[in-house]
Amino acid sequence: MFSLGLTGLLVRRNLIFVLMSLEVMLNTAGLAFVVGGSRWHQPDGQVMFVFILAMAAAEVAVGLALVVQIYHRFKSLDVDAISEMRG
Amino acid sequence: MDVTFYIAGAIAVISTVLMLTRLNVVHALLYLIVSLLAVSVDFFVLGAPFVAALEAIVYAGAIMVLFLFVIMMLNIGRHAAETEREWLTPGIWKGPVLLAVILILEVVYLARGASAGLGTGAIGPKEVGIALFGPYIIGVELASMLLLAGLVGAYHLGIRKTEKPEIRHVTDTDEGRADTGGDLVLAGTDRSARTT
Protein backbone atom coordinates (compact mmCIF):
# COMPACT_ATOMS: atom_id res chain seq x y z
CA MET A 1 0.00 0.00 0.00
CA PHE A 2 2.86 2.34 0.74
CA SER A 3 4.34 1.31 -2.57
CA LEU A 4 1.12 2.41 -4.27
CA GLY A 5 1.59 5.82 -2.67
CA LEU A 6 5.12 5.87 -4.01
CA THR A 7 3.92 5.17 -7.53
CA GLY A 8 1.38 7.95 -7.15
CA LEU A 9 4.21 10.26 -6.22
CA LEU A 10 6.07 9.14 -9.33
CA VAL A 11 3.12 9.68 -11.62
CA ARG A 12 2.71 13.25 -10.43
CA ARG A 13 5.83 14.54 -12.25
CA ASN A 14 5.31 17.34 -14.70
CA LEU A 15 5.78 17.33 -18.44
CA ILE A 16 8.94 19.25 -19.25
CA PHE A 17 10.86 17.28 -21.76
CA VAL A 18 7.73 16.06 -23.38
CA LEU A 19 8.80 12.73 -24.74
CA MET A 20 11.02 11.85 -21.82
CA SER A 21 8.30 12.65 -19.35
CA LEU A 22 5.90 10.62 -21.45
CA GLU A 23 8.34 7.79 -21.02
CA VAL A 24 8.42 8.39 -17.28
CA MET A 25 4.64 8.47 -17.05
CA LEU A 26 4.22 5.25 -19.01
CA ASN A 27 6.93 3.75 -16.86
CA THR A 28 5.18 4.68 -13.65
CA ALA A 29 1.90 3.35 -14.99
CA GLY A 30 3.67 0.08 -15.66
CA LEU A 31 5.17 0.21 -12.19
CA ALA A 32 1.69 0.61 -10.75
CA PHE A 33 0.53 -2.40 -12.76
CA VAL A 34 3.41 -4.54 -11.57
CA VAL A 35 2.92 -3.43 -7.97
CA GLY A 36 -0.75 -4.38 -8.16
CA GLY A 37 0.09 -7.67 -9.79
CA SER A 38 2.58 -8.54 -7.09
CA ARG A 39 0.20 -7.39 -4.39
CA TRP A 40 -2.46 -9.89 -5.44
CA HIS A 41 0.09 -12.36 -6.81
CA GLN A 42 -1.24 -12.41 -10.33
CA PRO A 43 0.84 -12.36 -13.52
CA ASP A 44 -1.66 -10.06 -15.23
CA GLY A 45 0.17 -6.96 -14.05
CA GLN A 46 3.35 -8.04 -15.78
CA VAL A 47 1.39 -8.87 -18.93
CA MET A 48 0.00 -5.36 -18.87
CA PHE A 49 3.51 -4.02 -18.41
CA VAL A 50 4.65 -5.90 -21.50
CA PHE A 51 1.82 -4.27 -23.46
CA ILE A 52 2.76 -0.86 -22.09
CA LEU A 53 6.35 -1.51 -23.13
CA ALA A 54 5.33 -2.29 -26.71
CA MET A 55 3.11 0.78 -26.84
CA ALA A 56 5.88 2.98 -25.46
CA ALA A 57 8.29 1.67 -28.08
CA ALA A 58 5.89 2.46 -30.93
CA GLU A 59 5.04 5.85 -29.45
CA VAL A 60 8.67 6.81 -29.03
CA ALA A 61 9.49 5.79 -32.59
CA VAL A 62 6.70 7.93 -34.01
CA GLY A 63 7.42 10.80 -31.63
CA LEU A 64 11.11 10.92 -32.45
CA ALA A 65 10.34 10.81 -36.16
CA LEU A 66 8.03 13.78 -35.57
CA VAL A 67 10.79 15.61 -33.71
CA VAL A 68 13.21 15.06 -36.58
CA GLN A 69 10.56 16.23 -39.01
CA ILE A 70 9.90 19.39 -36.98
CA TYR A 71 13.62 20.10 -36.81
CA HIS A 72 13.94 19.77 -40.55
CA ARG A 73 10.83 21.85 -41.13
CA PHE A 74 11.92 24.76 -38.94
CA LYS A 75 15.62 25.06 -39.56
CA SER A 76 16.08 27.85 -37.04
CA LEU A 77 15.15 25.60 -34.14
CA ASP A 78 18.17 24.07 -32.52
CA VAL A 79 18.13 21.47 -29.79
CA ASP A 80 18.00 24.04 -27.01
CA ALA A 81 14.94 25.65 -28.54
CA ILE A 82 13.31 22.26 -28.77
CA SER A 83 14.22 21.51 -25.20
CA GLU A 84 12.49 24.68 -24.14
CA MET A 85 9.15 23.43 -25.38
CA ARG A 86 7.60 23.01 -22.00
CA GLY A 87 4.04 22.03 -21.37
CA MET B 1 13.39 -6.17 1.06
CA ASP B 2 11.31 -3.20 2.06
CA VAL B 3 14.40 -1.09 2.59
CA THR B 4 15.83 -1.90 -0.83
CA PHE B 5 12.50 -1.19 -2.48
CA TYR B 6 12.21 2.20 -0.85
CA ILE B 7 15.83 3.09 -1.57
CA ALA B 8 15.37 2.25 -5.26
CA GLY B 9 12.09 4.16 -5.34
CA ALA B 10 13.74 7.17 -3.75
CA ILE B 11 16.54 7.00 -6.32
CA ALA B 12 13.94 6.84 -9.08
CA VAL B 13 12.10 9.88 -7.73
CA ILE B 14 15.30 11.88 -7.16
CA SER B 15 16.71 11.13 -10.58
CA THR B 16 13.38 11.96 -12.21
CA VAL B 17 13.28 15.31 -10.44
CA LEU B 18 16.88 15.98 -11.44
CA MET B 19 16.02 14.98 -15.00
CA LEU B 20 13.17 17.43 -15.10
CA THR B 21 15.33 20.27 -13.80
CA ARG B 22 18.21 19.83 -16.23
CA LEU B 23 18.54 22.26 -19.09
CA ASN B 24 20.69 20.08 -21.28
CA VAL B 25 19.07 17.20 -23.06
CA VAL B 26 21.95 14.78 -22.64
CA HIS B 27 22.19 15.36 -18.90
CA ALA B 28 18.46 14.77 -18.62
CA LEU B 29 18.92 11.59 -20.62
CA LEU B 30 21.57 10.39 -18.16
CA TYR B 31 19.25 10.97 -15.24
CA LEU B 32 16.40 9.32 -17.12
CA ILE B 33 18.54 6.22 -17.65
CA VAL B 34 19.33 6.15 -13.93
CA SER B 35 15.63 6.49 -13.16
CA LEU B 36 14.72 3.62 -15.48
CA LEU B 37 17.40 1.42 -13.94
CA ALA B 38 16.07 2.26 -10.48
CA VAL B 39 12.57 1.28 -11.55
CA SER B 40 14.05 -1.92 -12.94
CA VAL B 41 15.61 -2.66 -9.54
CA ASP B 42 12.21 -1.96 -8.04
CA PHE B 43 10.64 -4.57 -10.30
CA PHE B 44 13.30 -7.04 -9.27
CA VAL B 45 12.63 -6.40 -5.63
CA LEU B 46 8.90 -6.77 -6.21
CA GLY B 47 9.46 -10.27 -7.52
CA ALA B 48 9.17 -9.64 -11.24
CA PRO B 49 12.58 -10.52 -12.69
CA PHE B 50 11.28 -10.92 -16.24
CA VAL B 51 9.80 -7.45 -16.27
CA ALA B 52 12.97 -6.08 -14.66
CA ALA B 53 15.07 -7.55 -17.46
CA LEU B 54 12.65 -6.20 -20.06
CA GLU B 55 12.81 -2.76 -18.48
CA ALA B 56 16.59 -2.71 -18.46
CA ILE B 57 16.89 -4.04 -22.01
CA VAL B 58 14.09 -2.28 -23.84
CA TYR B 59 13.79 1.00 -21.97
CA ALA B 60 17.32 1.70 -20.84
CA GLY B 61 18.78 0.00 -23.89
CA ALA B 62 16.75 0.46 -27.01
CA ILE B 63 14.58 3.49 -26.34
CA MET B 64 17.43 5.49 -24.79
CA VAL B 65 19.61 4.66 -27.78
CA LEU B 66 16.81 6.00 -29.97
CA PHE B 67 16.71 9.21 -27.94
CA LEU B 68 20.48 9.56 -28.05
CA PHE B 69 20.56 8.91 -31.77
CA VAL B 70 17.97 11.57 -32.49
CA ILE B 71 19.72 14.07 -30.21
CA MET B 72 23.00 13.44 -31.94
CA MET B 73 21.30 13.67 -35.32
CA LEU B 74 19.81 17.04 -34.43
CA ASN B 75 23.05 18.19 -32.87
CA ILE B 76 25.02 18.13 -36.12
CA GLY B 77 25.03 21.88 -36.33
CA ARG B 78 27.49 24.62 -36.87
CA HIS B 79 28.57 24.97 -33.24
CA ALA B 80 28.40 21.34 -32.27
CA ALA B 81 31.99 21.16 -31.08
CA GLU B 82 31.63 24.21 -28.83
CA THR B 83 28.52 22.86 -27.16
CA GLU B 84 30.25 19.52 -26.80
CA ARG B 85 33.16 21.23 -25.11
CA GLU B 86 30.75 23.02 -22.80
CA TRP B 87 28.92 19.82 -21.97
CA LEU B 88 32.02 17.85 -21.21
CA THR B 89 32.99 19.91 -18.21
CA PRO B 90 33.92 17.59 -15.35
CA GLY B 91 31.54 17.27 -12.47
CA ILE B 92 28.40 16.73 -14.49
CA TRP B 93 28.74 12.98 -14.42
CA LYS B 94 29.05 12.86 -10.64
CA GLY B 95 25.32 12.88 -9.89
CA PRO B 96 24.27 10.00 -12.17
CA VAL B 97 27.37 8.04 -11.22
CA LEU B 98 26.58 8.42 -7.52
CA LEU B 99 22.99 7.25 -7.97
CA ALA B 100 24.09 4.40 -10.22
CA VAL B 101 26.69 3.29 -7.67
CA ILE B 102 23.99 3.16 -5.01
CA LEU B 103 21.88 1.06 -7.36
CA ILE B 104 24.79 -1.27 -8.08
CA LEU B 105 25.42 -1.76 -4.35
CA GLU B 106 21.75 -2.55 -3.92
CA VAL B 107 21.78 -5.08 -6.74
CA VAL B 108 24.87 -6.74 -5.27
CA TYR B 109 23.16 -6.93 -1.90
CA LEU B 110 20.07 -8.42 -3.50
CA ALA B 111 22.09 -10.93 -5.49
CA ARG B 112 23.97 -12.10 -2.41
CA GLY B 113 20.89 -12.47 -0.28
CA ALA B 114 17.84 -14.56 -1.08
CA SER B 115 15.94 -12.53 -3.69
CA ALA B 116 12.37 -13.27 -2.79
CA GLY B 117 9.52 -10.98 -3.63
CA LEU B 118 8.09 -8.25 -1.47
CA GLY B 119 5.50 -9.97 0.68
CA THR B 120 3.80 -12.40 -1.63
CA GLY B 121 6.73 -13.93 -3.48
CA ALA B 122 8.07 -13.87 -6.98
CA ILE B 123 6.21 -14.37 -10.23
CA GLY B 124 8.56 -15.96 -12.72
CA PRO B 125 8.68 -15.57 -16.47
CA LYS B 126 6.94 -18.90 -16.94
CA GLU B 127 3.69 -17.76 -15.39
CA VAL B 128 3.89 -14.48 -17.26
CA GLY B 129 4.37 -16.33 -20.54
CA ILE B 130 1.48 -18.69 -19.84
CA ALA B 131 -0.77 -15.76 -19.00
CA LEU B 132 0.50 -13.80 -22.01
CA PHE B 133 -0.23 -16.48 -24.54
CA GLY B 134 -3.27 -17.86 -22.76
CA PRO B 135 -6.09 -15.40 -22.13
CA TYR B 136 -4.16 -12.40 -23.49
CA ILE B 137 -3.41 -13.72 -26.96
CA ILE B 138 -5.61 -11.07 -28.60
CA GLY B 139 -3.65 -8.44 -26.72
CA VAL B 140 -0.43 -9.87 -28.13
CA GLU B 141 -1.83 -9.65 -31.64
CA LEU B 142 -2.99 -6.08 -31.03
CA ALA B 143 0.46 -5.15 -29.71
CA SER B 144 2.07 -6.61 -32.80
CA MET B 145 -0.27 -4.64 -35.03
CA LEU B 146 0.49 -1.50 -33.02
CA LEU B 147 4.21 -2.06 -33.40
CA LEU B 148 3.77 -2.55 -37.15
CA ALA B 149 1.73 0.65 -37.36
CA GLY B 150 4.39 2.49 -35.38
CA LEU B 151 7.11 1.17 -37.64
CA VAL B 152 5.27 2.21 -40.80
CA GLY B 153 4.39 5.60 -39.33
CA ALA B 154 7.95 6.32 -38.24
CA TYR B 155 9.23 5.24 -41.64
CA HIS B 156 6.72 7.48 -43.38
CA LEU B 157 7.59 10.46 -41.20
CA GLY B 158 11.28 9.86 -41.65
CA ILE B 159 11.21 9.32 -45.38
CA ARG B 160 9.65 12.70 -46.11
CA LYS B 161 12.88 14.59 -45.59
CA THR B 162 14.66 12.44 -48.12
CA GLU B 163 11.93 13.05 -50.66
CA LYS B 164 12.70 16.75 -50.89
CA PRO B 165 16.19 16.41 -52.36
CA GLU B 166 14.76 13.95 -54.84
CA ILE B 167 12.17 16.46 -55.97
CA ARG B 168 14.83 19.11 -56.26
CA HIS B 169 16.93 16.72 -58.25
CA VAL B 170 14.08 16.05 -60.66
CA THR B 171 13.42 19.76 -61.09
CA ASP B 172 17.12 20.33 -61.65
CA THR B 173 17.15 17.80 -64.44
CA ASP B 174 14.04 19.36 -65.92
CA GLU B 175 15.65 22.77 -65.85
CA GLY B 176 18.72 21.28 -67.44
CA ARG B 177 16.64 19.77 -70.17
CA ALA B 178 14.85 23.06 -70.73
CA ASP B 179 18.19 24.84 -70.91
CA THR B 180 19.60 22.42 -73.40
CA GLY B 181 16.42 22.72 -75.44
CA GLY B 182 16.77 26.49 -75.45
CA ASP B 183 20.39 26.13 -76.49
CA LEU B 184 19.41 23.79 -79.26
CA VAL B 185 16.76 26.18 -80.49
CA LEU B 186 19.21 29.08 -80.37
CA ALA B 187 21.79 26.98 -82.15
CA GLY B 188 19.25 26.12 -84.79
CA THR B 189 18.35 29.73 -85.26
CA ASP B 190 22.01 30.63 -85.41
CA ARG B 191 22.60 27.96 -87.98
CA SER B 192 19.59 29.04 -89.97
CA ALA B 193 20.74 32.64 -89.68
CA ARG B 194 24.22 31.65 -90.81
CA THR B 195 22.94 29.59 -93.72
CA THR B 196 20.65 32.33 -94.85
Side-chain angles (χ1 to χ4, degrees):
Chain A
M1 290 303 156
F2 283 133
S3 55
L4 289 179
L6 178 66
T7 53
L9 185 72
L10 272 168
V11 170
R12 230 178 28 168
R13 299 296 116 206
N14 273 328
L15 294 172
I16 293 187
F17 298 145
V18 180
L19 279 176
M20 287 187 198
S21 48
L22 266 178
E23 285 301 303
V24 170
M25 287 168 65
L26 285 173
N27 204 5
T28 52
L31 179 62
F33 267 117
V34 172
V35 165
S38 92
R39 167 67 179 79
W40 285 282
H41 201 258
Q42 295 287 325
D44 300 343
Q46 301 190 28
V47 173
M48 282 304 158
F49 180 77
V50 172
F51 290 156
I52 285 176
L53 199 69
M55 194 197 66
E59 175 259 336
V60 159
V62 175
L64 287 178
L66 272 174
V67 165
V68 171
Q69 193 65 31
I70 285 170
Y71 178 72
H72 282 284
R73 185 73 51 86
F74 307 104
K75 274 294 185 182
S76 63
L77 283 180
D78 54 352
V79 182
D80 293 332
I82 287 177
S83 73
E84 283 171 3
M85 290 169 68
R86 309 190 171 190
Chain B
M1 290 308 158
D2 285 345
V3 180
T4 55
F5 177 78
Y6 286 130
I7 288 174
I11 287 174
V13 172
I14 289 169
S15 59
T16 306
V17 169
L18 284 174
M19 178 203 91
L20 291 182
T21 52
R22 291 306 99 177
L23 290 181
N24 268 324
V25 186
V26 179
H27 302 163
L29 206 61
L30 274 176
Y31 280 110
L32 181 59
I33 289 172
V34 173
S35 165
L36 293 176
L37 290 178
V39 173
S40 169
V41 172
D42 256 351
F43 286 154
F44 187 73
V45 173
L46 278 172
F50 178 59
V51 163
L54 271 187
E55 168 98 12
I57 292 170
V58 177
Y59 263 119
I63 294 179
M64 288 309 112
V65 166
L66 264 181
F67 267 108
L68 198 63
F69 181 70
V70 167
I71 286 170
M72 288 171 72
M73 235 174 86
L74 296 183
N75 202 16
I76 305 173
R78 47 213 176 275
H79 54 279
E82 299 171 3
T83 55
E84 196 80 15
R85 197 171 298 121
E86 286 178 2
W87 288 3
L88 280 183
T89 54
I92 285 167
W93 47 272
K94 281 176 185 172
V97 161
L98 179 65
L99 294 175
V101 160
I102 295 174
L103 277 181
I104 285 173
L105 289 178
E106 198 169 355
V107 166
V108 166
Y109 170 71
L110 280 175
R112 291 185 67 182
S115 65
L118 183 69
T120 55
I123 301 171
K126 187 179 175 184
E127 303 173 32
V128 176
I130 288 173
L132 192 61
F133 288 102
Y136 286 103
I137 186 66
I138 296 177
V140 173
E141 298 295 330
L142 282 176
S144 69
M145 286 171 62
L146 177 68
L147 279 178
L148 179 65
L151 174 68
V152 173
Y155 179 73
H156 176 68
L157 288 174
I159 202 66
R160 207 180 282 165
K161 68 177 170 53
T162 59
E163 268 181 19
K164 284 176 182 176
E166 269 186 46
I167 290 171
R168 282 174 192 166
H169 186 66
V170 167
T171 53
D172 284 345
T173 53
D174 281 335
E175 286 176 359
R177 280 176 188 171
D179 284 343
T180 54
D183 285 337
L184 279 177
V185 168
L186 284 178
T189 51
D190 281 337
R191 279 177 189 173
S192 60
R194 281 176 188 172
T195 48
T196 54

